[in-house]
Amino acid sequence: MAARARRHAAQTFVGGLLLAAGLAGLPLFPGQTPAMTVVSALFMLKVLFGFAVDHYRAHPSKNG
């Protein structure tokens, strides 16, 4: 069970790391308008972090 918790924590960390790297690289694209940069950042948030995390992990029950 502890190994599974570490794997989920690692998924969240890697998702956040990829998001940070992607957002840091957005200003490097030439010729983007500020509106397009915002749209790209929101899309990157959805894809890199949202799909990198296991949303269906089992949470421990409160009843034991």
Side-chain angles (χ1 to χ4, degrees):
M1 185 64 86
R4 180 178 243 178
R6 279 191 299 253
R7 187 179 72 209
H8 291 307
Q11 279 184 328
T12 305
F13 176 76
V14 170
L17 188 65
L18 288 172
L19 177 63
L23 291 176
L26 273 181
L28 299 176
F29 291 117
Q32 264 192 333
T33 63
M36 192 62 194
T37 302
V38 169
V39 170
S40 298
L42 290 173
F43 180 73
M44 200 169 296
L45 174 67
K46 173 188 178 264
V47 172
L48 289 180
F49 190 71
F51 292 155
V53 177
D54 182 12
H55 296 286
Y56 301 105
R57 64 179 147 188
H59 295 285
S61 66
K62 293 181 182 180
N63 297 334

